[in-house]
Coordinates of all heavy atoms in Angstrom, one line a residue:
P63 N 63.1 -59.6 41.1 CA 64.0 -60.2 42.1 C 63.8 -61.8 42.2 O 62.7 -62.3 42.0 CB 63.5 -59.6 43.4 CG 62.7 -58.4 43.0 CD 62.2 -58.6 41.7
A64 N 64.9 -62.4 42.4 CA 64.9 -63.9 42.5 C 63.9 -64.4 43.5 O 63.3 -65.5 43.3 CB 66.3 -64.4 42.8
S65 N 63.7 -63.8 44.6 CA 62.8 -64.2 45.6 C 61.4 -64.2 45.1 O 60.5 -65.0 45.4 CB 62.9 -63.4 46.9 OG 62.6 -62.0 46.6
T66 N 61.0 -63.2 44.2 CA 59.7 -63.1 43.6 C 59.5 -64.2 42.7 O 58.4 -64.8 42.6 CB 59.5 -61.7 43.0 OG1 59.8 -60.7 43.9 CG2 58.2 -61.6 42.3
V67 N 60.5 -64.5 41.9 CA 60.4 -65.6 40.9 C 60.2 -66.9 41.7 O 59.4 -67.8 41.3 CB 61.7 -65.7 40.0 CG1 61.7 -66.9 39.2 CG2 61.8 -64.4 39.1
A68 N 61.0 -67.1 42.8 CA 60.9 -68.4 43.6 C 59.5 -68.5 44.2 O 58.9 -69.5 44.2 CB 61.9 -68.4 44.6
D69 N 59.0 -67.3 44.7 CA 57.6 -67.3 45.2 C 56.6 -67.7 44.2 O 55.6 -68.5 44.4 CB 57.2 -66.0 45.8 CG 58.0 -65.7 47.1 OD1 58.5 -66.6 47.7 OD2 58.0 -64.5 47.5
Y70 N 56.7 -67.2 43.0 CA 55.8 -67.5 41.8 C 55.8 -69.0 41.6 O 54.8 -69.6 41.5 CB 56.2 -66.7 40.6 CG 55.5 -67.2 39.4 CD1 54.2 -66.8 39.1 CD2 56.1 -68.0 38.4 CE1 53.5 -67.3 38.0 CE2 55.5 -68.5 37.3 CZ 54.2 -68.1 37.1 OH 53.5 -68.6 36.0
H71 N 57.1 -69.6 41.4 CA 57.2 -71.0 41.1 C 56.6 -71.8 42.3 O 55.9 -72.8 42.0 CB 58.6 -71.4 40.9 CG 59.2 -71.0 39.6 ND1 58.7 -71.3 38.4 CD2 60.3 -70.2 39.3 CE1 59.4 -70.8 37.4 NE2 60.4 -70.1 38.0
N72 N 56.8 -71.5 43.5 CA 56.2 -72.2 44.6 C 54.7 -72.1 44.6 O 54.0 -73.1 44.9 CB 56.8 -71.7 45.9 CG 58.2 -72.3 46.1 OD1 58.6 -73.4 45.7 ND2 59.1 -71.4 46.7
D73 N 54.1 -70.9 44.4 CA 52.7 -70.8 44.3 C 52.1 -71.6 43.2 O 51.1 -72.3 43.4 CB 52.3 -69.3 44.1 CG 52.6 -68.4 45.3 OD1 52.8 -68.9 46.4 OD2 52.5 -67.2 45.1
E74 N 52.7 -71.7 42.0 CA 52.2 -72.5 40.9 C 52.3 -74.0 41.3 O 51.4 -74.7 40.9 CB 53.0 -72.1 39.6 CG 52.7 -70.7 39.1 CD 51.2 -70.5 38.8 OE1 50.7 -71.3 38.0 OE2 50.6 -69.6 39.3
A75 N 53.4 -74.3 41.9 CA 53.6 -75.7 42.3 C 52.5 -76.1 43.3 O 52.0 -77.3 43.3 CB 55.0 -76.0 42.9
D76 N 52.2 -75.2 44.3 CA 51.2 -75.5 45.3 C 49.9 -75.9 44.6 O 49.2 -76.8 45.0 CB 51.0 -74.3 46.2 CG 52.1 -74.2 47.2 OD1 52.9 -75.1 47.4 OD2 52.2 -73.1 47.8
K77 N 49.5 -75.1 43.6 CA 48.3 -75.3 42.8 C 48.3 -76.7 42.1 O 47.3 -77.4 42.1 CB 48.0 -74.2 41.8 CG 47.8 -72.8 42.4 CD 47.7 -71.8 41.3 CE 47.9 -70.4 41.8 NZ 48.0 -69.4 40.7
A78 N 49.4 -77.0 41.5 CA 49.6 -78.2 40.7 C 49.6 -79.4 41.6 O 49.1 -80.5 41.1 CB 50.9 -78.1 39.8
L79 N 50.1 -79.3 42.8 CA 50.2 -80.5 43.7 C 49.0 -80.7 44.6 O 48.9 -81.8 45.2 CB 51.5 -80.3 44.5 CG 52.8 -80.4 43.8 CD1 54.0 -80.0 44.7 CD2 53.1 -81.8 43.2
A80 N 48.2 -79.7 44.7 CA 47.1 -79.8 45.7 C 46.2 -81.0 45.6 O 46.0 -81.7 46.6 CB 46.2 -78.5 45.7
K81 N 45.7 -81.3 44.5 CA 44.8 -82.5 44.3 C 45.5 -83.8 44.5 O 45.0 -84.7 45.2 CB 44.1 -82.5 43.0 CG 43.1 -81.4 42.9 CD 42.4 -81.4 41.5 CE 41.4 -80.3 41.4 NZ 40.8 -80.3 40.0
A82 N 46.8 -83.9 44.1 CA 47.6 -85.1 44.2 C 47.9 -85.3 45.7 O 47.8 -86.5 46.2 CB 48.8 -85.0 43.4
E83 N 48.2 -84.3 46.4 CA 48.5 -84.4 47.8 C 47.3 -84.8 48.6 O 47.4 -85.7 49.5 CB 49.1 -83.1 48.4 CG 50.5 -82.8 47.9 CD 51.0 -81.5 48.5 OE1 50.4 -80.5 48.3 OE2 52.1 -81.6 49.1
A84 N 46.1 -84.3 48.2 CA 44.9 -84.6 48.9 C 44.6 -86.1 48.7 O 44.2 -86.8 49.6 CB 43.7 -83.8 48.4
L85 N 44.8 -86.6 47.5 CA 44.5 -88.0 47.2 C 45.5 -88.9 48.0 O 45.0 -89.9 48.5 CB 44.7 -88.2 45.7 CG 44.2 -89.6 45.1 CD1 42.8 -89.9 45.4 CD2 44.4 -89.6 43.6
L86 N 46.7 -88.6 48.0 CA 47.7 -89.4 48.8 C 47.3 -89.4 50.3 O 47.4 -90.5 50.9 CB 49.1 -88.9 48.6 CG 49.7 -89.1 47.2 CD1 51.0 -88.3 47.1 CD2 49.9 -90.5 46.9
K87 N 47.0 -88.3 50.8 CA 46.6 -88.2 52.2 C 45.3 -89.0 52.5 O 45.2 -89.7 53.5 CB 46.3 -86.7 52.6 CG 47.6 -85.9 52.8 CD 47.4 -84.5 53.1 CE 48.6 -83.7 53.1 NZ 48.4 -82.2 53.2
E88 N 44.4 -88.9 51.6 CA 43.1 -89.7 51.7 C 43.4 -91.2 51.8 O 42.7 -91.9 52.5 CB 42.2 -89.4 50.5 CG 40.9 -90.2 50.4 CD 40.2 -89.9 49.1 OE1 40.2 -88.7 48.7 OE2 39.6 -90.8 48.5
H89 N 44.4 -91.7 51.1 CA 44.8 -93.1 51.1 C 45.8 -93.4 52.2 O 46.3 -94.6 52.2 CB 45.2 -93.5 49.7 CG 44.1 -93.6 48.7 ND1 43.3 -94.7 48.6 CD2 43.7 -92.7 47.8 CE1 42.4 -94.5 47.7 NE2 42.6 -93.2 47.2
G90 N 46.2 -92.4 52.9 CA 47.2 -92.7 54.0 C 48.6 -93.0 53.5 O 49.3 -93.7 54.2
L91 N 49.0 -92.5 52.3 CA 50.3 -92.8 51.8 C 51.3 -91.8 52.2 O 51.1 -90.6 52.1 CB 50.2 -92.9 50.3 CG 49.6 -94.1 49.7 CD1 49.4 -94.0 48.2 CD2 50.4 -95.3 50.0
A92 N 52.5 -92.3 52.6 CA 53.6 -91.4 52.9 C 54.2 -90.8 51.6 O 54.3 -91.5 50.6 CB 54.7 -92.2 53.7
Y93 N 54.5 -89.5 51.7 CA 55.1 -88.9 50.5 C 56.0 -87.8 50.9 O 55.9 -87.2 52.0 CB 54.0 -88.5 49.5 CG 53.2 -87.2 50.0 CD1 53.6 -86.0 49.6 CD2 52.1 -87.4 50.8 CE1 52.9 -84.9 50.0 CE2 51.4 -86.3 51.2 CZ 51.8 -85.0 50.8 OH 51.1 -83.9 51.2
E94 N 56.9 -87.5 49.9 CA 57.7 -86.3 50.0 C 57.4 -85.4 48.8 O 57.1 -85.9 47.7 CB 59.2 -86.6 50.0 CG 59.6 -87.3 51.3 CD 61.1 -87.7 51.2 OE1 61.9 -86.8 50.9 OE2 61.5 -88.8 51.5
R95 N 57.4 -84.1 49.1 CA 57.0 -83.1 48.0 C 58.3 -82.5 47.5 O 59.2 -82.1 48.3 CB 56.1 -82.1 48.7 CG 55.6 -81.0 47.9 CD 54.8 -80.1 48.9 NE 53.9 -79.3 48.2 CZ 54.2 -78.1 47.7 NH1 55.4 -77.6 47.9 NH2 53.2 -77.4 47.1
H96 N 58.4 -82.5 46.2 CA 59.6 -81.9 45.5 C 59.1 -80.9 44.5 O 58.2 -81.2 43.7 CB 60.4 -83.0 44.9 CG 60.8 -84.1 45.8 ND1 61.9 -84.0 46.6 CD2 60.2 -85.3 46.0 CE1 62.0 -85.1 47.3 NE2 61.0 -85.9 47.0
V97 N 59.8 -79.7 44.4 CA 59.5 -78.7 43.4 C 60.8 -78.4 42.7 O 61.8 -78.1 43.4 CB 58.8 -77.5 44.0 CG1 58.6 -76.4 42.9 CG2 57.5 -77.8 44.7
E98 N 60.8 -78.5 41.4 CA 62.0 -78.1 40.7 C 61.6 -77.2 39.5 O 60.5 -77.1 39.2 CB 62.6 -79.4 40.0 CG 63.1 -80.4 41.0 CD 64.4 -80.0 41.7 OE1 65.2 -79.2 41.1 OE2 64.7 -80.5 42.8
V99 N 62.6 -76.5 39.0 CA 62.4 -75.6 37.9 C 63.4 -76.1 36.8 O 64.5 -76.3 37.0 CB 62.8 -74.1 38.3 CG1 62.7 -73.2 37.0 CG2 61.9 -73.6 39.4
G100 N 62.8 -76.2 35.6 CA 63.6 -76.7 34.4 C 62.7 -77.3 33.4 O 61.5 -77.1 33.4
H101 N 63.3 -78.0 32.5 CA 62.6 -78.7 31.4 C 62.1 -80.0 32.0 O 62.9 -80.8 32.5 CB 63.4 -78.9 30.2 CG 63.8 -77.5 29.6 ND1 63.0 -76.7 29.0 CD2 65.0 -76.8 29.7 CE1 63.6 -75.6 28.7 NE2 64.8 -75.6 29.1
A102 N 60.8 -80.3 31.9 CA 60.2 -81.4 32.7 C 60.8 -82.8 32.5 O 61.2 -83.4 33.5 CB 58.7 -81.5 32.3
G103 N 61.0 -83.2 31.3 CA 61.5 -84.6 31.0 C 62.9 -84.7 31.6 O 63.2 -85.7 32.3
A104 N 63.8 -83.8 31.4 CA 65.1 -83.8 31.9 C 65.2 -83.8 33.4 O 65.9 -84.5 34.1 CB 66.0 -82.7 31.3
K105 N 64.4 -82.9 34.0 CA 64.3 -82.7 35.5 C 63.8 -84.0 36.2 O 64.3 -84.4 37.2 CB 63.4 -81.5 35.9 CG 64.2 -80.3 36.1 CD 65.2 -80.4 37.2 CE 66.0 -79.1 37.2 NZ 67.2 -79.1 38.0
I106 N 62.7 -84.6 35.6 CA 62.2 -85.8 36.1 C 63.3 -86.9 36.2 O 63.4 -87.6 37.2 CB 60.9 -86.3 35.4 CG1 59.8 -85.3 35.5 CG2 60.5 -87.7 35.8 CD1 58.7 -85.5 34.5
A107 N 64.0 -87.1 35.1 CA 65.1 -88.1 35.0 C 66.1 -87.8 36.1 O 66.6 -88.7 36.8 CB 65.7 -88.1 33.6
E108 N 66.5 -86.5 36.2 CA 67.5 -86.1 37.2 C 67.1 -86.4 38.6 O 67.8 -86.9 39.4 CB 67.8 -84.6 37.0 CG 68.8 -84.0 37.9 CD 69.0 -82.5 37.7 OE1 69.1 -82.1 36.5 OE2 68.9 -81.8 38.7
V109 N 65.9 -86.0 38.9 CA 65.4 -86.2 40.3 C 65.2 -87.7 40.6 O 65.6 -88.1 41.7 CB 64.0 -85.4 40.5 CG1 63.4 -85.8 41.8 CG2 64.2 -83.9 40.4
A110 N 64.8 -88.5 39.7 CA 64.6 -89.9 39.9 C 66.0 -90.5 40.2 O 66.1 -91.4 41.1 CB 64.0 -90.6 38.7
D111 N 67.0 -90.1 39.5 CA 68.4 -90.5 39.8 C 68.9 -90.1 41.1 O 69.4 -90.9 41.9 CB 69.3 -90.1 38.6 CG 70.7 -90.7 38.7 OD1 70.7 -91.9 38.9 OD2 71.7 -89.9 38.6
E112 N 68.7 -88.8 41.4 CA 69.2 -88.2 42.7 C 68.5 -88.9 43.9 O 69.2 -89.2 44.9 CB 68.9 -86.7 42.8 CG 69.8 -85.9 41.9 CD 69.4 -84.4 41.9 OE1 68.4 -84.0 42.7 OE2 70.0 -83.7 41.2
L113 N 67.2 -89.2 43.8 CA 66.5 -89.8 44.9 C 66.6 -91.4 44.9 O 66.1 -92.0 45.8 CB 65.0 -89.4 44.8 CG 64.7 -87.9 45.0 CD1 63.2 -87.7 44.8 CD2 65.2 -87.5 46.4
K114 N 67.3 -91.9 43.9 CA 67.4 -93.4 43.8 C 66.1 -94.1 43.8 O 65.9 -95.1 44.5 CB 68.4 -93.9 44.9 CG 69.8 -93.4 44.8 CD 70.6 -93.9 45.9 CE 72.1 -93.5 45.9 NZ 72.5 -92.4 45.1
C115 N 65.2 -93.5 43.0 CA 63.8 -94.1 42.9 C 63.9 -95.4 42.1 O 64.7 -95.6 41.3 CB 62.9 -93.1 42.1 SG 62.5 -91.6 43.1
D116 N 62.9 -96.3 42.6 CA 62.8 -97.6 41.9 C 62.0 -97.6 40.7 O 62.1 -98.4 39.8 CB 62.2 -98.6 42.9 CG 63.0 -98.7 44.2 OD1 64.2 -99.1 44.1 OD2 62.4 -98.4 45.3
Q117 N 61.1 -96.6 40.6 CA 60.2 -96.5 39.5 C 59.7 -95.0 39.3 O 59.6 -94.3 40.3 CB 59.0 -97.4 39.7 CG 58.1 -97.6 38.6 CD 57.0 -98.7 38.9 OE1 56.9 -99.1 40.0 NE2 56.3 -99.1 37.8
I118 N 59.3 -94.7 38.1 CA 58.6 -93.4 37.8 C 57.2 -93.8 37.3 O 57.1 -94.7 36.4 CB 59.4 -92.6 36.8 CG1 60.8 -92.3 37.2 CG2 58.6 -91.3 36.4 CD1 61.7 -91.7 36.1
V119 N 56.2 -93.2 37.9 CA 54.8 -93.5 37.4 C 54.2 -92.1 37.0 O 54.2 -91.2 37.9 CB 54.0 -94.2 38.5 CG1 52.5 -94.3 38.0 CG2 54.6 -95.5 38.8
M120 N 53.8 -92.0 35.8 CA 53.3 -90.7 35.3 C 52.2 -90.9 34.3 O 52.1 -91.9 33.7 CB 54.4 -89.8 34.8 CG 55.0 -90.3 33.5 SD 56.4 -89.3 33.0 CE 55.5 -87.9 32.3
G121 N 51.3 -89.9 34.2 CA 50.3 -89.9 33.3 C 50.8 -89.5 31.9 O 51.9 -88.9 31.8
T122 N 50.0 -89.8 30.9 CA 50.4 -89.4 29.5 C 49.3 -88.4 29.0 O 48.2 -88.4 29.4 CB 50.4 -90.7 28.6 OG1 49.1 -91.2 28.5 CG2 51.4 -91.7 29.0
R123 N 49.8 -87.6 28.1 CA 48.9 -86.7 27.4 C 49.3 -86.7 25.9 O 50.4 -86.8 25.6 CB 49.0 -85.3 28.0 CG 48.6 -85.3 29.5 CD 48.2 -84.0 30.0 NE 49.3 -83.0 29.8 CZ 49.2 -81.8 30.3 NH1 48.1 -81.4 30.9 NH2 50.1 -80.9 30.1
G124 N 48.3 -86.4 25.1 CA 48.6 -86.3 23.6 C 49.0 -85.0 23.2 O 48.2 -84.3 22.5
L125 N 50.2 -84.6 23.5 CA 50.7 -83.3 23.1 C 52.0 -83.5 22.3 O 52.7 -84.4 22.4 CB 51.1 -82.4 24.3 CG 49.9 -82.1 25.3 CD1 50.4 -81.4 26.5 CD2 48.8 -81.3 24.6
G126 N 52.3 -82.5 21.4 CA 53.6 -82.5 20.7 C 53.6 -83.1 19.4 O 52.6 -83.2 18.7
A127 N 54.8 -83.6 18.9 CA 54.9 -84.1 17.6 C 54.3 -85.5 17.4 O 53.6 -85.9 18.3 CB 56.4 -84.2 17.3
I128 N 54.6 -86.2 16.4 CA 54.0 -87.5 16.1 C 54.1 -88.5 17.2 O 53.1 -89.1 17.7 CB 54.5 -88.1 14.8 CG1 54.1 -87.2 13.6 CG2 54.0 -89.5 14.6 CD1 54.7 -87.6 12.3
T129 N 55.3 -88.6 17.8 CA 55.5 -89.5 18.9 C 54.7 -89.0 20.1 O 54.1 -89.7 20.8 CB 57.0 -89.6 19.3 OG1 57.7 -90.0 18.1 CG2 57.2 -90.6 20.4
G130 N 54.7 -87.7 20.3 CA 54.0 -87.0 21.4 C 52.5 -87.3 21.3 O 51.9 -87.2 22.3
L131 N 52.0 -87.5 20.1 CA 50.6 -87.8 20.0 C 50.2 -89.0 20.8 O 49.1 -89.1 21.3 CB 50.2 -88.0 18.6 CG 50.2 -86.7 17.7 CD1 49.9 -87.1 16.2 CD2 49.2 -85.7 18.2
L132 N 51.1 -90.0 20.9 CA 50.8 -91.2 21.7 C 51.2 -91.1 23.2 O 50.5 -91.5 24.0 CB 51.6 -92.4 21.1 CG 51.3 -92.7 19.7 CD1 52.2 -93.8 19.1 CD2 49.8 -93.1 19.6
L133 N 52.3 -90.4 23.5 CA 52.8 -90.4 24.8 C 52.8 -89.1 25.5 O 52.7 -89.0 26.7 CB 54.3 -90.9 24.9 CG 54.5 -92.4 24.4 CD1 56.0 -92.7 24.4 CD2 53.8 -93.3 25.3
G134 N 53.0 -88.0 24.8 CA 53.2 -86.7 25.3 C 54.7 -86.4 25.3 O 55.5 -87.3 25.4
S135 N 55.0 -85.2 25.0 CA 56.5 -84.8 24.8 C 57.3 -85.0 26.1 O 58.5 -85.4 26.0 CB 56.6 -83.4 24.3 OG 56.0 -82.5 25.3
T136 N 56.7 -84.8 27.3 CA 57.5 -85.0 28.5 C 57.8 -86.5 28.7 O 59.0 -86.8 29.0 CB 56.7 -84.5 29.7 OG1 56.5 -83.1 29.5 CG2 57.5 -84.7 31.0
A137 N 56.9 -87.3 28.5 CA 57.1 -88.8 28.6 C 58.1 -89.2 27.6 O 59.0 -90.0 27.9 CB 55.8 -89.5 28.5
T138 N 58.0 -88.8 26.3 CA 58.9 -89.2 25.3 C 60.3 -88.8 25.7 O 61.3 -89.6 25.5 CB 58.5 -88.5 24.0 OG1 57.2 -88.9 23.6 CG2 59.4 -88.9 22.8
T139 N 60.5 -87.5 26.1 CA 61.8 -87.1 26.5 C 62.4 -87.9 27.7 O 63.5 -88.3 27.7 CB 61.8 -85.6 26.9 OG1 61.3 -84.8 25.8 CG2 63.2 -85.1 27.4
L140 N 61.5 -88.1 28.7 CA 61.9 -88.9 29.9 C 62.4 -90.3 29.5 O 63.5 -90.7 30.0 CB 60.8 -89.0 30.9 CG 61.0 -89.9 32.1 CD1 62.2 -89.3 32.9 CD2 59.7 -90.0 32.9
L141 N 61.7 -90.9 28.6 CA 62.1 -92.3 28.2 C 63.5 -92.4 27.6 O 64.1 -93.4 27.7 CB 61.0 -92.9 27.3 CG 59.7 -93.2 27.9 CD1 58.7 -93.6 26.9 CD2 59.8 -94.3 29.0
T142 N 63.9 -91.3 27.0 CA 65.2 -91.3 26.4 C 66.3 -90.9 27.4 O 67.5 -91.1 27.1 CB 65.3 -90.3 25.2 OG1 65.1 -89.0 25.6 CG2 64.3 -90.7 24.1
M143 N 65.9 -90.4 28.5 CA 66.9 -89.8 29.5 C 67.1 -90.6 30.8 O 68.0 -90.2 31.6 CB 66.6 -88.4 29.8 CG 66.5 -87.5 28.6 SD 66.3 -85.8 29.0 CE 68.0 -85.4 29.5
T144 N 66.3 -91.6 31.0 CA 66.4 -92.3 32.3 C 66.6 -93.8 32.1 O 66.2 -94.4 31.2 CB 65.1 -92.1 33.1 OG1 65.3 -92.6 34.5 CG2 63.9 -92.7 32.5
S145 N 67.3 -94.4 33.1 CA 67.4 -95.8 33.2 C 66.4 -96.4 34.2 O 66.4 -97.6 34.4 CB 68.9 -96.2 33.6 OG 69.2 -95.6 34.8
V146 N 65.7 -95.5 34.9 CA 64.7 -96.0 35.9 C 63.5 -96.5 35.2 O 63.0 -95.8 34.2 CB 64.3 -94.8 36.8 CG1 63.2 -95.2 37.8 CG2 65.6 -94.3 37.6
P147 N 62.9 -97.6 35.6 CA 61.7 -98.1 34.9 C 60.6 -97.0 35.0 O 60.4 -96.4 36.0 CB 61.3 -99.3 35.7 CG 62.6 -99.8 36.3 CD 63.4 -98.5 36.6

Side-chain angles (χ1 to χ4, degrees):
S65 62
T66 302
V67 172
D69 288 345
Y70 169 77
H71 286 304
N72 285 326
D73 288 346
E74 292 300 303
D76 287 345
K77 293 175 200 172
L79 292 169
K81 289 180 181 177
E83 288 181 306
L85 188 57
L86 290 171
K87 287 176 186 174
E88 178 184 320
H89 288 275
L91 286 172
Y93 71 94
E94 291 179 48
R95 182 182 200 271
H96 305 275
V97 176
E98 296 286 337
V99 176
H101 298 286
K105 265 303 173 187
I106 294 166
E108 180 182 312
V109 170
D111 188 48
E112 286 174 4
L113 296 174
K114 297 181 179 17
C115 290
D116 301 302
Q117 187 174 14
I118 300 167
V119 176
M120 64 185 285
T122 61
R123 298 201 301 185
L125 303 175
I128 292 172
T129 306
L131 290 174
L132 298 174
L133 296 178
S135 58
T136 299
T138 302
T139 301
L140 174 62
L141 289 171
T142 65
M143 300 187 78
T144 189
S145 60
V146 176

